[in-house]
């Protein structure tokens, strides 16, 4: 049977679930893959059991013909939606000329860098391209070392920076477990997780003591040779944690007082994800180094380290090959990213994401009034999360088994969310429209009711 193009579908009739989920074709593909694929895939890939066919905008179709509303953007990536025609066209046209020609100059990269410099936070005008976010974060760390001739880093509790050793050493949480020894000289300081304050205080009477705590960490846990404080301005994978403005202002002041660079990892928050072009733009701060990734090329693998040209002029970063990698600087990545920046501008996606994100969050807050398993709703723009708890008094999180049940309830109704964990992330493409948003939210509401009834909440 001929499949209907996703662009011809009526959004009021979405999603469209035509088989059990996963359906027979998904199951057959996954069984075949399972013979050879490494087991550590994402929880959402493993739990859903889905094999995908195609996507357009905020719609995703699996191989059984089920059409889902995408509240995930894959791994929080596709800001311009799936297969935006202008991004696809730009990639296709460039790939016909060169797939790879190392990092020789190209017209397309020159145009991209001009536009990126116009768009980047104040003071950031020089860039080195890489591929994955982790590799890019490592690049940012090398740049910080080259620029300061210092070698230590302070990062945040619950930070997420990638799975290479330097980046991993800067992370909080579970991903580090079992992978020691990690890099020396990288220590963590409390984040502003106000729902579960690491210092057991309450905002605003705490006067953001978590930010002041960095003085203790600097004093007690470092040798005083700190190159940079590296953090996400808004933490993504750690649970969508949006710090109060004072937190970031205090951290910046600490950096300035001690001649330490401020390195903001914007891999996840790049390209309008948070309702501003960069998460940095929500705060009165001026980072010395930023890393970009994920949405910056709409899903084509690209990571970028940005700073002032002065910072990049330091040895050994500035020597021949000092910043390169095999796939860094490819004209195809540049074409994808240039098209992404143009689409974001032409379609006012930052403003649209901010407004629609605000609307979605207000509906999530109404769900919180209705469902007692919701402990907290937070986020900004199209980066949101619901934290589920057994009880609002104890704030004990729901179990992983419960979270997986809830994820499946949402999935079988036709909505893809970004995580199958007690902190459920909601991160739709910025091109989502209000009709699809409302449909997905109605279904999430229904799924939470089914979840609460199964586990006898209330
Ligand atoms: C803030 C941040 N930095 C770095 C990374 C690592 O990116 P990648 O998975 O592309 O290596 C991630 C991935 O989620 C991230 O969220």
């Amino acid at each position: 049977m001929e499949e209907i193009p996703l662009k011809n579908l009526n959004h009021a009739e979405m999603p469209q679930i035509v088989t059990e989920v996963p359906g027979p074709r998904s199951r057959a593909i996954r069984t075949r893959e399972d013979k050879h694929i490494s087991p550590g895939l994402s929880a959402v890939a493993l739990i859903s059991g889905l094999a995908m066919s195609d996507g357009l905008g905020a719609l995703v179709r699996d191989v059984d013909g089920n059409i889902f509303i995408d509240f995930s953007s894959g791994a929080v990536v596709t800001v311009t939606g799936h297969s935006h025609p202008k991004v696809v066209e730009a990639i296709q046209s460039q790939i016909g000329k060169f797939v790879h020609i190392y990092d020789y100059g190209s017209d397309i990269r020159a145009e991209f860098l001009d536009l990126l410099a116009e768009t980047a936070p104040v003071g950031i005008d020089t860039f080195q391209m890489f591929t994955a976010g982790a590799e890019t974060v490592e690049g940012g760390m090398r740049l910080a070392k080259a620029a300061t001739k210092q070698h230590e880093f302070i990062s945040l509790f619950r930070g997420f920076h990638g799975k290479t050793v330097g980046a991993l050493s800067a992370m909080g949480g579970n991903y580090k477990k079992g992978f020691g020894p990690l890099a020396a000289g990288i220590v963590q300081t409390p984040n502003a997780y106000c729902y579960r304050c690491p210092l057991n205080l309450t905002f605003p009477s705490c006067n953001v003591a978590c930010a002041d705590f960095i003085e203790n960490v600097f004093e007690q846990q470092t040798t005083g040779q700190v190159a940079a404080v590296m953090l996400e301005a808004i933490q993504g994978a750690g649970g969508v944690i949006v710090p109060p403005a004072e937190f970031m202002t205090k951290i910046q002041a600490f950096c300035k007082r001690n001649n330490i660079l401020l390195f903001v990892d914007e891999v996840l928050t790049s390209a309008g994800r948070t309702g501003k072009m960069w998460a940095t733009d929500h705060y009165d701060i001026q980072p010395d180094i930023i890393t970009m990734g994920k949405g910056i090329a709409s899903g084509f693998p690209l990571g970028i380290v940005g700073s002032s040209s002065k910072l990049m002029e330091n040895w050994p970063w500035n020597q021949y090959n000092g910043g390169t990698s095999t796939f860094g600087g490819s004209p195809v990545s540049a074409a994808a990213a240039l098209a992404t920046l143009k689409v974001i501008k032409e379609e006012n996606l930052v403003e649209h994401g901010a407004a629609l994100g605000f609307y979605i969050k207000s509906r999530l807050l109404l769900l919180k009034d209705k469902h007692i398993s919701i402990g907290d709703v937070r986020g900004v723009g199209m980066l949101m999360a619901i934290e589920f708890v057994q009880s609002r008094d104890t704030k004990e999180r729901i179990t992983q088994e419960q979270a997986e049940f809830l994820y499946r309830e949402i999935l079988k109704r036709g909505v893809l969310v970004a995580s199958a964990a007690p902190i459920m992330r909601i991160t739709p493409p910025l091109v989502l429209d209000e009709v699809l948003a409302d449909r997905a939210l109605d279904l999430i509401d229904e799924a939470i009711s089914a979840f609460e009834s199964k586990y006898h909440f209330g």
Side-chain angles (χ1 to χ4, degrees):
M1 199 178 70
E2 185 82 351
E3 271 190 337
I4 306 169
L6 290 173
K7 71 173 187 306
N8 296 344
L9 297 170
N10 178 356
H11 285 189
E13 290 167 8
M14 293 297 113
Q16 222 170 69
I17 299 301
V18 294
T19 68
E20 59 180 336
V21 178
R25 288 188 179 166
S26 272
R27 286 204 305 271
I29 289 174
R30 294 300 301 270
T31 304
R32 193 170 151 211
E33 280 193 341
D34 278 352
K35 283 189 258 163
H36 302 293
I37 205 158
S38 164
L41 300 180
S42 69
V44 286
L46 290 172
I47 297 163
S48 71
L50 290 178
M52 297 304 197
S53 159
D54 56 335
L56 189 72
L59 293 177
V60 168
R61 176 159 42 202
D62 73 8
V63 289
D64 290 286
N66 297 305
I67 300 167
F68 299 86
I69 298 172
D70 187 8
F71 260 31
S72 71
S73 304
V76 197
V77 168
T78 50
V79 289
T80 59
H82 297 281
S83 299
H84 191 291
K86 289 188 175 161
V87 177
V88 171
E89 210 275 315
I91 294 172
Q92 280 173 341
S93 124
Q94 184 56 44
I95 224 160
K97 297 178 185 161
F98 270 123
V99 175
H100 170 85
I101 182 64
Y102 202 11
D103 59 351
Y104 287 91
S106 58
D107 239 4
I108 198 99
R109 197 174 68 192
E111 191 183 345
F112 166 58
L113 292 173
D114 275 347
L115 189 54
L116 184 62
E118 254 175 51
T119 318
V122 178
I124 306 285
D125 59 11
T126 309
F127 307 97
Q128 173 63 43
M129 292 160 71
F130 294 95
T131 44
E135 183 201 16
T136 307
V137 167
E138 297 284 344
M141 293 173 83
R142 285 201 309 282
L143 172 61
K145 286 181 177 181
T148 60
K149 309 294 179 250
Q150 309 289 317
H151 61 275
E152 295 178 299
F153 292 89
I154 303 177
S155 56
L156 291 189
F157 288 4
R158 297 189 78 84
F160 191 101
H161 301 289
K163 294 175 190 152
T164 50
V165 172
L168 196 64
S169 308
M171 305 229 288
N174 289 336
Y175 290 97
K176 300 199 286 200
K177 302 279 186 310
F179 285 120
L182 297 173
I186 307 181
V187 293
Q188 279 80 60
T189 191
N191 59 347
Y193 188 5
C194 297
Y195 181 62
R196 295 178 190 276
C197 173
L199 304 180
N200 258 328
L201 300 171
T202 307
F203 181 76
S205 60
C206 62
N207 202 18
V208 207
C210 51
D212 300 328
F213 201 88
I214 198 168
E215 304 277 0
N216 294 330
V217 172
F218 183 45
E219 192 55 39
Q220 300 295 321
Q221 286 191 266
T222 74
T223 66
Q225 293 177 285
V226 177
V229 171
M230 55 186 285
L231 45 70
E232 300 153 89
I234 296 173
Q235 293 185 312
V240 184
I241 295 162
V242 186
E246 300 87 325
F247 179 86
M248 294 302 294
T249 315
K250 281 187 172 187
I251 296 286
Q252 170 103 72
F254 163 82
C255 288
K256 289 214 160 113
R257 263 197 314 281
N258 296 289
N259 278 326
I260 292 172
L261 299 178
L262 179 61
F263 170 175
V264 180
D265 181 359
E266 293 250 18
V267 164
L268 184 139
T269 48
S270 290
R273 169 59 57 195
T274 65
K276 302 237 184 220
M277 191 62 189
W278 313 102
T280 297
D281 298 340
H282 289 281
Y283 299 96
D284 184 19
I285 55 169
Q286 206 178 326
D288 300 292
I289 298 176
I290 81 167
T291 42
M292 312 166 184
K294 290 199 186 258
I296 193 73
S298 294
F300 200 85
L302 175 64
I304 302 170
V305 174
S307 77
S308 66
S309 58
K310 185 160 172 271
L311 215 71
M312 291 215 184
E313 274 158 17
N314 283 288
W315 181 91
W317 179 265
N318 66 352
Q319 68 184 345
Y320 284 158
N321 303 310
T324 56
S325 76
T326 301
F327 301 118
S330 128
V332 190
S333 325
L338 175 63
T340 301
L341 291 185
K342 285 182 173 172
V343 165
I344 289 175
K345 213 165 170 185
E346 285 161 15
E347 298 185 13
N348 292 318
L349 290 184
V350 178
E351 298 74 9
H352 175 72
L356 191 54
F358 185 80
Y359 171 73
I360 294 173
K361 190 171 157 195
S362 64
R363 280 209 55 190
L364 294 178
L365 286 165
L366 292 176
L367 292 188
K368 183 179 169 204
D369 292 341
K370 177 172 172 190
H371 297 289
I372 58 163
S373 62
I374 297 182
D376 196 27
V377 166
R378 49 184 185 259
V380 58
M382 290 293 218
L383 177 63
M384 289 160 278
I386 310 177
E387 183 156 350
F388 288 90
V389 291
Q390 307 281 4
S391 136
R392 284 188 183 166
D393 293 336
T394 64
K395 295 189 183 173
E396 184 191 348
R397 291 203 180 96
I398 61 167
T399 63
Q400 182 56 30
E401 182 199 307
Q402 289 173 325
E404 290 180 20
F405 177 87
L406 175 58
Y407 173 80
R408 284 199 189 89
E409 287 298 309
I410 294 173
L411 184 74
K412 75 183 192 200
R413 287 171 171 78
V415 182
L416 293 175
V417 290
S419 48
I423 300 177
M424 180 199 290
R425 283 184 297 153
I426 293 185
T427 56
L430 307 189
V431 294
L432 182 80
D433 60 38
E434 200 170 315
V435 176
L436 287 179
D438 274 328
R439 292 285 299 134
L441 287 160
D442 290 346
L443 295 165
I444 289 174
D445 182 8
E446 219 182 272
I448 299 173
S449 296
F451 160 74
E452 291 194 338
S453 129
K454 155 96 176 163
Y455 290 101
H456 311 295
F457 278 86

